[in-house]
Amino acid sequence: MSNARFITLEGIDGAGKSTHLAWLTAWLQARRIDPVVTREPGGTPLGEQLRALLLKEPMHLETEALLMFAARREHLERVIQPALAAGRWVVSDRFTDASFAYQGGGRGLPQDKLEQLEHWIGGIQPDLTLLFDVPLAVSQARMAASRELDRFEQEQADFHARVRSAYLARAAAYPARFRVIDASRDIAAIQHDLATIMEGLA
Ligand code: TMP
């Protein structure tokens, strides 16, 4: 495992991504790989400010998409591309697939507009995208247990159902880089799958 890799984690809200991100980071570190761990929206000082707005302020759907890609442009320029160029692994909690799932699937922004934005920022594709998939009921129960819900988490169940379908459609469209993980199972089973996937990442 020498070549730098770009790994992204995706899933609907309440899919348990954060727990798996921590496990994956520790798994890499145990193999003497010290990844750059980052997130979207965010990952840079400006991106984190945009994140605060995106998660809280009501805005037009296109504004939302543009700000997601604006944050991503900074993220690519300041974090992702320099790290990969320096031979570091990058693990990002969400990336462009989230825009296709949330702004595209969830909010109904036409896919060609998202593709234009992706093209415009010269977006690179991850080497591996781990999609943590859970049935809506699991995600809803996890969100109900959270204290404070952001603007996306507050959306109705049908929004999250569309986001999930859009993620699964992306996984079907790009099978070479996507791995879909049934994240409704117990944690040991999920970690077993993750280890197998990671070992297969030559
Ligand atoms: P998080 O809760 O996983 O940190 O993500 C923040 C929220 O931002 C989450 O509800 C998904 C949403 N999001 C989008 O709508 N579009 C995007 O492009 C990204 C990266 C995140």
Side-chain angles (χ1 to χ4, degrees):
M1 281 205 177
S2 51
N3 293 346
R5 302 283 177 176
F6 178 28
I7 302 175
T8 58
L9 281 71
E10 301 283 356
I12 58 174
D13 295 281
K17 249 177 332 95
S18 317
T19 310
H20 305 308
L21 176 67
W23 184 88
L24 183 65
T25 305
W27 191 92
L28 287 168
Q29 285 166 343
R31 280 148 192 83
R32 293 203 207 87
I33 295 167
D34 184 26
V36 172
V37 179
T38 186
R39 69 171 179 182
E40 289 203 354
T44 64
L46 177 57
E48 290 296 327
Q49 291 190 50
L50 293 172
R51 177 188 179 90
L53 291 170
L54 280 159
L55 296 192
K56 194 165 146 245
E57 294 293 331
M59 61 184 77
H60 190 280
L61 157 61
E62 291 181 352
T63 310
E64 182 179 291
L66 288 164
L67 290 182
M68 290 290 179
F69 276 91
R72 184 162 299 130
R73 185 70 192 87
E74 285 297 303
H75 196 206
L76 279 164
E77 178 73 14
R78 293 179 187 275
V79 177
I80 299 174
Q81 284 167 329
L84 292 172
R88 298 276 307 273
W89 287 53
V90 177
V91 180
S92 185
D93 186 344
R94 300 196 188 279
F95 190 59
T96 310
D97 295 305
S99 299
F100 282 93
Y102 281 80
Q103 282 65 54
R107 302 232 193 268
L109 188 70
Q111 174 144 335
D112 65 308
K113 290 204 168 171
L114 291 162
E115 283 167 354
Q116 282 171 36
L117 292 175
E118 184 183 32
H119 181 69
W120 197 32
I121 67 161
I124 53 172
Q125 298 300 321
D127 296 299
L128 171 69
T129 298
L130 300 166
L131 174 56
F132 294 93
D133 183 53
V134 289
L136 217 55
V138 172
S139 132
Q140 299 277 298
R142 286 184 187 159
M143 281 193 282
S146 331
R147 276 155 306 169
E148 237 179 277
L149 298 180
D150 66 38
R151 215 163 56 80
F152 295 97
E153 291 165 334
Q154 282 167 18
E155 288 289 342
Q156 300 299 313
D158 59 340
F159 174 87
H160 295 284
R162 290 195 300 276
V163 172
R164 184 185 181 207
S165 303
Y167 266 134
L168 291 171
R170 297 245 340 139
Y174 303 102
R177 73 172 166 93
F178 264 93
R179 294 291 174 274
V180 182
I181 295 153
D182 174 357
S184 63
R185 296 167 303 158
D186 66 55
I187 201 130
I190 298 169
Q191 289 173 355
H192 177 269
D193 279 9
L194 283 176
T196 307
I197 293 166
M198 293 305 294
E199 273 152 16
L201 197 64

